[in-house]
Amino acid sequence: QVALVESGGGLVQAGGSLRLSCAASGRTIASYTMGWFRQAPGKEREFVAAIRWTSGNTKHEDSVKDRFTISRDFAKNTVYLQMNSLKPEDTAVYYCAADLIGRLHGIVDEYDYWGQGTQVTVSS
């Protein structure tokens, strides 16, 4: 089992920044891919970014690649999502997820473990 706990969400004005954290515990995540997803009210959950734990290779969704950056800290077993130049349309619940096989992708149904989510609200 892997437990994922997100933190760092909140209310921010448009143009501001937030850094989300996802702390992982339980089984070793050395071979995993960690992903960030988001879900706005009335919409489906969508991919934001992913990182392969061992190689550090990343993938970002096109609409955020110039503003968001995913990274990881080995010592803290934590994945981060640095979000800059936030827009009202970034408002959503943000979820951290783990793919045990370690593929770098954004397919929601193929991630094995999920956190509880953290709310990000961007005001205009």
Side-chain angles (χ1 to χ4, degrees):
Q1 287 287 348
V2 175
L4 304 174
V5 179
E6 303 98 333
S7 62
L11 173 64
V12 64
Q13 288 189 332
S17 298
L18 283 174
R19 188 178 78 158
L20 305 183
S21 300
C22 172
S25 62
R27 290 173 55 178
T28 177
I29 61 172
S31 61
Y32 295 179
T33 288
M34 303 297 294
W36 283 101
F37 294 78
R38 65 187 180 185
Q39 187 166 18
K43 295 187 176 181
E44 293 188 352
R45 194 168 297 189
E46 65 177 10
F47 171 71
V48 176
I51 185 167
R52 293 198 68 191
W53 190 258
T54 50
S55 68
N57 291 343
T58 62
K59 178 182 178 67
H60 294 77
E61 196 274 330
D62 287 345
S63 70
V64 306
K65 64 173 42 178
D66 295 329
R67 302 182 295 122
F68 294 5
T69 303
I70 190 171
S71 62
R72 85 270 197 245
D73 184 322
F74 284 110
K76 296 182 178 180
N77 245 23
T78 298
V79 175
Y80 302 99
L81 184 68
Q82 177 66 43
M83 305 187 295
N84 299 326
S85 301
L86 282 160
K87 304 175 181 180
E89 51 263 43
D90 294 319
T91 295
V93 177
Y94 282 70
Y95 297 90
C96 176
D99 176 340
L100 304 187
I101 299 179
R103 301 158 298 181
L104 191 63
H105 67 91
I107 304 170
V108 173
D109 292 344
E110 296 190 6
Y111 277 77
D112 303 286
Y113 294 99
W114 291 84
Q116 82 289 349
T118 186
Q119 176 71 46
V120 171
T121 303
V122 184
S123 63
S124 57

